[in-house]
Amino acid sequence: MVRGKTQMRRIENNTSRQVTFFKRRNGLLKKAFELSVLCDAEVALIIFSPRGKLYDFASASMQSTIERYRMHTKDSPNSNNTVEQNMQLLKNEAAAMMKKIETIEVSKRKLLGEGLGSCSIGDLQQVEQQLERSISKVRARKTEAFKKQIEHFKEKEKSLVAENAKLCEKFGVQPLQTLNNQRQKLSYTDSDPSPDVETELFIGLPPERRQKNHSSQR
């Protein structure tokens, strides 16, 4: 039989509550004894039942264990002092953080060209050098990004050319690049003058007009 998970709340039934107290009390006393024996620890356990009955266990003397506990708490620092110390530490950390934030804001305004009136020549030179370093880093990063983009486009072009060649081979069509090369060759051939054509250079009137003029003079 599977036992359900026990809910951590007060048991309303008196009989069930007493039975549970009896079982858990014995288990707790047993665990305290085992802890003292196995780990050589000084253990003191005090239990009061709902009716006020006392149950206790002590690996040594209960009184000596209680006195030891009192001495330990007496020598330990006061909890109020510890809280105040923690609060002061947090205040100091917050103040340091605010000062650091203010310094960063001032530096940021200088890089934006604001609040430069109180800056000395050395401060202005530092701002200028910082801007130059920043610009150099930005340009280097931009160049790297362009190179990566170009490489990406080249790879994409290669894949598209290969895919185009596969499709052309599949459908028996010449690739587009081959057709463009052929068209360029044809256009170059058409525009190139034929070597068989002979041309002559004449100075003066053409031969026909020269003959007409000669006949009219006669």
Side-chain angles (χ1 to χ4, degrees), residues 204-217:
L205 294 175
E208 296 179 355
R209 289 186 180 182
R210 191 181 301 170
Q211 292 178 359
K212 288 181 180 180
N213 291 335
H214 184 69
S215 300
S216 60
Q217 288 178 1

Side-chain angles (χ1 to χ4, degrees), residues 59-178:
S59 59
S61 172
M62 178 65 73
Q63 189 66 31
S64 63
T65 304
I66 293 175
E67 289 296 331
R68 184 178 178 183
Y69 170 77
R70 287 178 178 175
M71 292 296 295
H72 180 76
T73 55
K74 183 179 179 180
D75 295 337
S76 62
N78 194 343
S79 59
N80 293 331
N81 294 334
T82 304
V83 172
E84 291 179 359
Q85 291 176 359
N86 292 335
M87 289 296 295
Q88 187 63 34
L89 180 62
L90 291 175
K91 288 180 181 179
N92 294 336
E93 291 180 355
M97 186 64 66
M98 290 298 295
K99 187 175 181 180
K100 187 175 181 180
I101 292 173
E102 184 179 357
T103 304
I104 294 173
E105 288 293 333
V106 172
S107 178
K108 178 182 177 181
R109 287 196 297 269
K110 289 181 180 179
L111 291 175
L112 293 175
E114 301 174 359
L116 299 177
S118 60
C119 295
S120 62
I121 297 178
D123 295 336
L124 294 175
Q125 287 178 349
Q126 290 181 359
V127 173
E128 184 180 7
Q129 292 174 1
Q130 181 63 41
L131 288 173
E132 289 177 354
R133 288 193 295 267
S134 300
I135 292 174
S136 177
K137 291 180 181 179
V138 171
R139 288 175 177 172
R141 181 66 185 91
K142 185 179 71 173
T143 303
E144 183 180 358
F146 277 143
K147 288 181 179 179
K148 289 183 179 180
Q149 191 172 12
I150 291 171
E151 292 296 331
H152 173 71
F153 286 149
K154 286 182 178 180
E155 294 295 330
K156 190 173 182 179
E157 181 185 7
K158 289 180 181 179
S159 62
L160 291 175
V161 170
E163 185 177 359
N164 182 37
K166 289 181 181 179
L167 292 174
C168 292
E169 183 179 359
K170 180 178 180 180
F171 295 101
V173 181
Q174 290 185 351
L176 182 61
Q177 186 175 5
T178 305

Side-chain angles (χ1 to χ4, degrees), residues 176 178-189:
L176 182 61
T178 305
L179 292 176
N180 290 334
N181 294 335
Q182 291 179 357
R183 289 175 182 175
Q184 290 178 358
K185 290 181 179 179
L186 290 175
S187 61
Y188 178 76
T189 304

